Amino acid sequence: MSTISTALRHFKEPTKEQLTQIFFSLPALEYGDDAEKSGGQDVSKMDINAVLSLGEAEDSYAGKLHIMPPYLAFSSLDKKSVRFTIPLSTIRRVERLNARAGVYALSLLTWHGMKIIVQLTSLRPTADLFCSLLRDALKVELQRGQMKLVKNFVKTCYSEVLISDPSNAAENEREDGSLISEGKAGASQGISYHGGLGLRFKFPGDPKKLREASKIKLWTTYLKSHGRNLTLLRYPQCTRLVQVGLPNRLRGEMWETLSGSIYLRFSNPGYYERLLEENKGKTNISTDDIEKDLHRSLPEYAGYQSEEGISSLRRVLRAYSYMNPELGYCQAMNILAAAILIYMSEEQAFWLLEVLCGRLLPGYYAPSMHGTLLDQRVFESLVQRYLPIIHDHFQVVDVQLSVASLPWFLSLYINSMPMVFAFRIVDCFLCMGPKVLFQVGLAILKINGEQLLQIQDDGGFLNLMRDYFASLGDSAHPQSSDPRARAITVFQELLLVSFREFSVITEEIILSERRRFRGEIIHSIESFAKRGAVRNLRTLGRFHKEQAGLIYDALYKAMCIVPPPPTAAPVPTLFTTGEGHEEKPETRIGLRTFRQFLSEIATWARDEKIVMNGFQQRIERVVAEHEFIDRLFYFWDTGCHGALSFQDLISGLDGVMFNDLMENIEWFFNLHDKNKDGYLTKDEVLTLSESFLFIFRYEVGDAYLGAVSRFMTNAFEYGDALLPPPASDSGLTDNEPSSPPPIASNQPYLNLPTFRMVVLADEVLESFFETDLSESFKLHPLPEMELPVSNSGILGDLWSSIATDQNKKMFNMFTDEIGKTIGKHQVVNKPSIGRYTKLEEPKARESLLTPTLRKSLSKASLTTSSSSTLAPSSLPSLSVNTTLEPSTKSLPNVPDSGSLSAIPMLQAVNAAALMERTPFAIDDAKDDEDEDDDGFLGDNDHDDEVMDEVDAFLEAHDSGLTDADKAVANDLLHAEPLK
């Protein structure tokens, strides 16, 4: 079975508004009932120049303030120094400040008592409009009742406990952050905040070496002055603290805050539980695959050696497959979910998984893995640009970079590094974006550059990387006499190289490179999928693989133009066996897509018009619609699915394209034999005649029209003659004709031998069935389909707005009208068969009936029935456009479609082998009673050491303000509200 996806063809570059939403980690969709509540409220979006001030301890920053209901967001001019995203429902009060003349400033008081001062630096009318929109948006949030939900929601965040009662929180926890209570009931008693499996099964690593206590102190200080969870402000120190590493107790909450998944959880309360309850007991292909991978998900961690951890992982993965059935479950999602469940509750992990798969790593966990392959191509390009010597060496020795780098990206380094270090990478990734994956990958290659230049094959590359990851906890300078230099680990060196030497790699560069290589990857994936679909066919019939590939191309093009319904699990009564085993779904097309497909294959399934107007000559193609095409669709649907698979199309075409004369006549007969009893009723004979007229509708001359007329005459003559004679009537003399016998609508009227004799009585129909019918199905290479153009810049946007299909139609209509005015407009319908190009009609053969039979009483039936049933007005129009006389002008030679060349696919990587994770001893959780390492520094030294590491990541941040602007901002900190 084959699953054919055209999702890559429908990819569209994100708009400016969508890029803004991605930058601020805003959810694109709402999944709960709240979407309906705000459906009737249309609040405009707006941004304005502003200066942000928080307090005297922090610098003021110039930037842009955005209102995107139900959120308020700000970013500094450099888009990296300061940023925040705050739900409007967390704003308690908004006041305008009494400041210097010409200064328009607002004071915002958040839920956590933090005072934010925003100076609007645009013109006064613009500032008034922004304030008006802000006021209206706050009213909407109040009406929705969202402000009442904040109090209960923040109780689920650990930061509330940490800030309000830090001593009590420390008493109930071990040094690593896990709960002291051992029993399951005791572990949750009195705990309202969300947490992961680490609360019970401990967190990976040694808390003393990870300096957990020092990190908690630093983060507590930061969260007190900069907000937390829903109201967190991300100043430069926040990014540096993330780079040093998040403490275990805060990691889960900070992950959802930095990624934006906390906004999904806040706006959709109870959705996760409802989703599981509504789908309780349901099974599908995804649930079966999930069960296979559950026990292969971080099996070295104690939590996944118990049923509690396995059950949590099962529920999260199933819930995601229920919410996103098109994606369902893909390999490596289990590794991701298992990792985040160590630090997050099931609901938190569910929403973070949605953000990871949907926004941060699009296409990574799709069946085609197109996102991963695209980023691998981008990574290879960056290696070629920044590490050309290593790239050239890999080319010489034929080492595939993706052999090692693909699992790095796919598992966010979790499957390659010890967990304690991989989670540090995840911290930075969720805070700084996907560019971190590329920066770390380049740093790994640069640090190991000398050894990489010595490898000769893929095996040596993998062994070198495995040894390097195992040494991440070792000293980077073990021979140094400076104790601080000896304290720097290999992993710290990796981060410094990543964020200093490769800081030039920005999100804009990543997006640009993705646009550059997207077409190449799409063609490669499509070529690979095409070969797989042809290889998976149960039978090719009389086709060879190249011909089957051409049929696939036509099917794929039709699916791109008229997308079929999403691939879903089949109906149980049609697709399941007696044992209840559910087969994997395969792509099937409906009737509309089939019409488009057939128009690419059969000449009579499309209306082709050659239009000439004196300015241009063009071909207009329209998909034909007729009962004959619909009948063919259901004729090929032998399994009664109501849709056709790739295999159905291959088998159907095989049944007609290689037939001889007699086989084609039988095929055409069976196509119109609705009940498959070997006879055509009188109505079916009429339908068959209409099928002839449809196929011959654009043929030149009257040869085919005459052939159909003679067919109908002979068919009815012979059919009536073979009817059983009527009962004798004593009231009639021998010379008086009797009335025709009544014929029921379902009464057998014409069998196959009779139909064959009628067809062979006409030279035109005989020629049609002998060669023309099979040859009307043409398999030609199709031209390469154009990918969606990614327009960037002013000129690109301008061209995309001009070169639209609607504008092209308007231009064609305009030139046609001018052509009609000057008398040069001509339209020719291209014939489907094209055998006769002149107005000549071949002579018909003699009637099949003898003169005696033609004088029989049944001839009266022909006169009465055919004259009333087949009146000339009921026949389809067979005219050529009157603006061109086909008898005097030859048809233009219209070339067929070009060929489609498939780009070779990237070398396939064995995903199962790549996802095997090496256990590391450093990840083992340490007990409190473990003895301290000799020579380990005291608590105060821990704090200094952490601060030294924070300072190592210190960067210069430009506030965008002059000294005068800073003075104004400082004055606003002490300004009073307007009375």
Side-chain angles (χ1 to χ4, degrees), residues 158 162 166-184 186-187 191 193 196-208 211-214 216 247-250 301-302 925-930:
Y158 176 78
L162 182 64
S167 59
N168 185 36
E171 291 176 359
N172 296 327
E173 299 168 353
R174 298 185 181 90
E175 189 175 357
D176 70 335
S178 59
L179 296 177
I180 295 177
S181 302
E182 297 293 341
K184 184 175 181 181
I191 301 299
Y193 57 85
L197 295 173
L199 292 178
R200 183 181 182 198
F201 297 98
K202 299 184 181 180
F203 297 101
D206 185 350
K208 294 185 179 298
R211 305 190 297 271
E212 285 292 307
S214 299
I216 281 291
N248 289 330
R249 281 171 282 186
L250 274 174
Y301 180 65
K926 302 297 182 181
D927 295 328
D928 292 342
E929 57 271 13
D930 290 348

Side-chain angles (χ1 to χ4, degrees), residues 499-668:
F499 301 138
R500 285 187 173 180
E501 300 190 23
F502 295 104
S503 60
V504 294
I505 298 177
T506 61
E507 295 295 336
E508 289 73 18
I509 291 179
I510 300 301
L511 291 176
S512 176
E513 291 294 288
R514 284 174 175 173
R515 285 193 294 266
R516 176 185 172 192
F517 294 110
R518 191 178 302 278
E520 174 185 329
I521 295 301
I522 289 177
H523 285 303
S524 299
I525 293 175
E526 289 176 348
S527 177
F528 182 80
K530 173 181 175 180
R531 293 196 299 269
V534 173
R535 184 172 58 250
N536 292 335
L537 287 171
R538 293 187 297 272
T539 175
L540 287 173
R542 288 168 282 185
F543 292 111
H544 50 72
K545 289 186 177 181
E546 289 74 14
Q547 291 174 316
L550 296 177
I551 298 174
Y552 178 92
D553 293 339
L555 172 61
Y556 192 83
K557 180 178 180 180
M559 291 175 59
C560 291
I561 299 175
V562 185
T567 301
V571 181
T573 57
L574 299 179
F575 280 74
T576 55
T577 61
E579 293 78 11
H581 175 70
E582 186 177 306
E583 296 183 5
K584 290 190 175 183
E586 61 179 336
T587 301
R588 293 181 176 272
I589 61 172
L591 180 57
R592 291 182 61 247
T593 310
F594 174 75
R595 291 171 181 160
Q596 182 69 43
F597 162 78
L598 200 62
S599 69
E600 303 291 338
I601 298 292
T603 56
W604 41 264
R606 58 180 180 259
D607 296 338
E608 285 185 303
K609 297 180 180 179
I610 306 169
V611 181
M612 296 164 283
N613 53 32
F615 299 94
Q616 62 174 344
Q617 178 176 320
R618 67 180 187 274
I619 299 176
E620 293 184 352
R621 174 181 290 189
V622 179
V623 177
E625 296 185 13
H626 192 267
E627 192 270 345
F628 176 68
I629 298 177
D630 302 351
R631 181 181 293 272
L632 187 61
F633 173 82
Y634 294 106
F635 183 66
W636 286 354
D637 183 18
T638 56
C640 299
H641 299 102
L644 297 178
S645 65
F646 182 37
Q647 180 65 68
D648 293 333
L649 297 175
I650 291 289
S651 301
L653 290 171
D654 178 69
V656 63
M657 291 185 62
F658 301 96
N659 291 346
D660 57 17
L661 172 62
M662 295 302 175
E663 290 172 338
N664 270 335
I665 293 175
E666 182 178 358
W667 178 88
F668 206 78

Side-chain angles (χ1 to χ4, degrees), residues 377-413:
R377 186 65 185 89
V378 172
F379 185 57
E380 290 178 5
S381 173
L382 296 177
V383 172
Q384 183 178 8
R385 181 187 306 179
Y386 296 106
L387 303 172
I389 298 177
I390 295 177
H391 176 270
D392 294 343
H393 175 70
F394 278 16
Q395 295 292 317
V396 171
V397 298
D398 193 24
V399 170
Q400 296 294 325
L401 180 62
S402 59
V403 169
S405 62
L406 189 143
W408 297 350
F409 284 64
L410 196 60
S411 68
L412 303 183
Y413 294 91

Side-chain angles (χ1 to χ4, degrees), residues 403-464:
V403 169
S405 62
L406 189 143
W408 297 350
F409 284 64
L410 196 60
S411 68
L412 303 183
Y413 294 91
I414 294 172
N415 250 29
S416 303
M417 296 181 180
M419 283 191 288
V420 292
F421 300 127
F423 290 143
R424 295 272 302 273
I425 301 295
V426 177
D427 295 342
C428 300
F429 166 74
L430 294 177
C431 178
M432 303 165 61
K435 67 179 181 181
V436 171
L437 302 180
F438 297 90
Q439 292 171 332
V440 173
L442 289 171
I444 291 173
L445 297 180
K446 179 171 184 178
I447 292 173
N448 295 274
E450 294 183 4
Q451 296 92 324
L452 288 174
L453 295 178
Q454 305 301 320
I455 64 171
Q456 299 296 321
D457 52 32
D458 293 341
F461 183 26
L462 293 175
N463 291 333
L464 175 61

Side-chain angles (χ1 to χ4, degrees), residues 607-791:
D607 296 338
E608 285 185 303
K609 297 180 180 179
I610 306 169
V611 181
M612 296 164 283
N613 53 32
F615 299 94
Q616 62 174 344
Q617 178 176 320
R618 67 180 187 274
I619 299 176
E620 293 184 352
R621 174 181 290 189
V622 179
V623 177
E625 296 185 13
H626 192 267
E627 192 270 345
F628 176 68
I629 298 177
D630 302 351
R631 181 181 293 272
L632 187 61
F633 173 82
Y634 294 106
F635 183 66
W636 286 354
D637 183 18
T638 56
C640 299
H641 299 102
L644 297 178
S645 65
F646 182 37
Q647 180 65 68
D648 293 333
L649 297 175
I650 291 289
S651 301
L653 290 171
D654 178 69
V656 63
M657 291 185 62
F658 301 96
N659 291 346
D660 57 17
L661 172 62
M662 295 302 175
E663 290 172 338
N664 270 335
I665 293 175
E666 182 178 358
W667 178 88
F668 206 78
F669 179 90
N670 293 333
L671 177 62
H672 292 82
D673 183 9
K674 187 174 182 180
N675 56 3
K676 310 303 178 187
D677 62 349
Y679 286 88
L680 298 179
T681 65
K682 198 166 188 178
D683 290 341
E684 290 172 344
V685 174
L686 293 174
T687 302
L688 187 146
S689 303
E690 292 176 357
S691 298
F692 278 140
L693 294 175
F694 166 71
I695 295 174
F696 303 146
R697 63 193 183 281
Y698 292 132
E699 299 306 313
V700 178
D702 296 332
Y704 288 96
L705 182 60
V708 175
S709 176
R710 290 188 295 273
F711 166 80
M712 295 166 63
T713 301
N714 290 332
F716 284 121
E717 281 185 353
Y718 213 96
D720 286 347
L722 297 180
L723 289 175
S728 57
D729 192 344
S730 58
L732 296 175
T733 63
D734 293 339
N735 295 329
E736 293 180 353
S738 62
S739 61
I743 302 176
S745 60
N746 60 346
Q747 179 176 345
Y749 188 72
L750 200 68
N751 57 18
L752 177 59
T754 307
F755 175 72
R756 188 182 294 118
M757 293 175 60
V758 173
V759 167
L760 295 177
D762 191 277
E763 179 183 350
V764 174
L765 293 182
E766 180 184 359
S767 174
F768 169 72
F769 282 108
E770 185 173 13
T771 57
D772 297 340
L773 176 59
S774 297
E775 291 179 358
S776 66
F777 295 89
K778 300 182 182 297
L779 298 180
H780 291 310
L782 299 177
E784 286 191 9
M785 297 178 59
E786 296 182 358
L787 294 171
V789 180
S790 58
N791 301 305

